[in-house]
Amino acid sequence: MRVDIVTIFPDYFGSHAAGEGPLGVSLIGKAGGRGDIDFRVHDLRGWATDVHNTVDDSPFGGGPGMVMKPDVWGDALDAVAGDSADPGGTARLIVPTPSGQPFTQDLAASYAAERHLVFACGRYEGIDSRVPAEVRTRMAVDEVSIGDYVLAGGEAAVAVMLEAVCRLLPGVLGNEQSAADDSFGAGAGKMRGLLEGPVYTRPRSWRGIEVPPVLLSGDHGAIARWRRDEALRRTAEVRPDLVTSLAADPDGLDARDREVLAEAGFHFA
Ligand code: ADE
């Protein structure tokens, strides 16, 4: 997969080659090192046309802050997405913005299946809205929010999205099952739609607290059931909105699931 990032702060992403910064370490660093992902970070100011390398201007209609200029962004995206090595140009543009659609595990999975992702990091009050509108006439464009809070720019959101995408690439995680079973597991996994429950490792007793005995029982059926019960309880406690979505597909809930949810205060017809 090829990943281009256009930003006015290329240093934010560190030096991939030196193994530093969000693209250089951990799973993402390894994926880059193996050549599974070809990262290219570009300084937006390289497409500015005046001596001050201006990338923003005051908003039409007035108001606070500055808006990023469409001419500079247009040239940058033509250069970065337009030279896609894929015949037919299959790049997908992702614009992080608090006013975008929510970033979800399903969206991460769909990005992991792409051949070329281009991230356009906005700053200030955002990018002139004609940019995504115009690019959309030629390629897929997603305006995406990583949560209901406002960051100073898209860079941190790109680091978040790339980490979620990279761990889904074949071979990156090592244990493929762990992606299928984690919270929001995008696979057809039996834990889909649930938060992950508690986990434990050695020692069996720590500061007087014992590991739940069922986990030591060797009874795989009982362990799987217990894990699902715990996942249901945790989801009911901290994300009742997810339980409501589960109930929309009643076939996904067995009798024991309903019992656990009823104890947590959720009753289904
Ligand atoms: N840029 C600023 N805030 C953001 C958010 N919540 N998600 C994505 N990009 C952003």
Side-chain angles (χ1 to χ4, degrees):
M1 175 192 286
R2 176 172 151 191
V3 174
D4 288 274
I5 304 170
V6 184
T7 167
I8 57 167
F9 294 121
D11 290 347
Y12 177 93
F13 294 95
S15 162
H16 174 249
E20 294 165 353
L23 305 184
V25 300
S26 187
L27 289 177
I28 302 184
K30 288 202 188 101
R34 273 199 310 269
D36 289 348
I37 308 179
D38 173 11
F39 287 113
R40 305 183 195 186
V41 181
H42 312 268
D43 186 349
L44 177 70
R45 292 192 196 279
W47 285 278
T49 52
D50 66 338
V51 288
H52 303 295
N53 290 333
T54 306
V55 295
D56 60 338
D57 204 340
S58 48
F60 278 124
M66 300 290 270
V67 175
M68 297 188 101
K69 289 163 64 60
D71 46 349
V72 178
W73 268 110
D75 288 352
L77 295 175
D78 286 350
V80 168
D83 73 342
S84 174
D86 303 330
T90 54
R92 184 164 177 180
L93 176 66
I94 301 154
V95 185
T97 164
S99 48
Q101 67 175 113
F103 184 61
T104 60
Q105 190 65 28
D106 285 342
L107 205 49
S110 85
Y111 292 167
E114 295 283 353
R115 298 174 65 177
H116 186 188
L117 300 176
V118 178
F119 291 93
C121 300
R123 282 263 153 183
Y124 317 117
E125 294 302 307
I127 302 172
D128 185 301
S129 294
R130 289 168 291 182
V131 174
E134 190 272 338
V135 175
R136 200 169 271 131
T137 63
R138 287 176 279 121
M139 58 194 262
V141 178
D142 297 348
E143 294 177 271
V144 181
S145 168
I146 63 161
D148 290 341
Y149 39 78
V150 181
L151 304 168
E155 287 78 7
V158 170
V160 166
M161 288 190 267
L162 280 176
E163 185 152 330
V165 169
C166 286
R167 63 188 286 284
L168 298 178
L169 297 176
V172 171
L173 204 61
N175 177 4
E176 305 297 330
Q177 190 57 36
S178 98
D181 267 1
D182 56 18
S183 297
F184 311 111
K190 56 196 179 315
M191 301 297 256
R192 184 176 170 82
L194 296 179
L195 303 184
E196 239 186 298
V199 294
Y200 304 89
T201 186
R202 276 177 281 275
R204 286 169 59 154
S205 178
W206 176 75
R207 297 191 178 179
I209 310 168
E210 302 293 328
V211 167
V214 62
L215 297 178
L216 311 173
S217 69
D219 179 342
H220 298 298
I223 291 170
R225 185 63 253 181
W226 180 86
R227 286 191 169 140
R228 186 162 172 90
D229 288 0
E230 289 298 312
L232 287 160
R233 287 189 191 109
R234 181 173 287 193
T235 307
E237 187 181 337
V238 305
R239 290 294 303 277
D241 57 309
L242 293 180
V243 176
T244 310
S245 314
L246 282 180
D249 174 22
D251 295 344
L253 296 175
D254 65 22
R256 173 64 189 159
D257 292 342
R258 286 160 197 268
E259 205 175 296
V260 173
L261 290 173
E263 283 164 14
F266 288 88
H267 298 274
F268 303 111

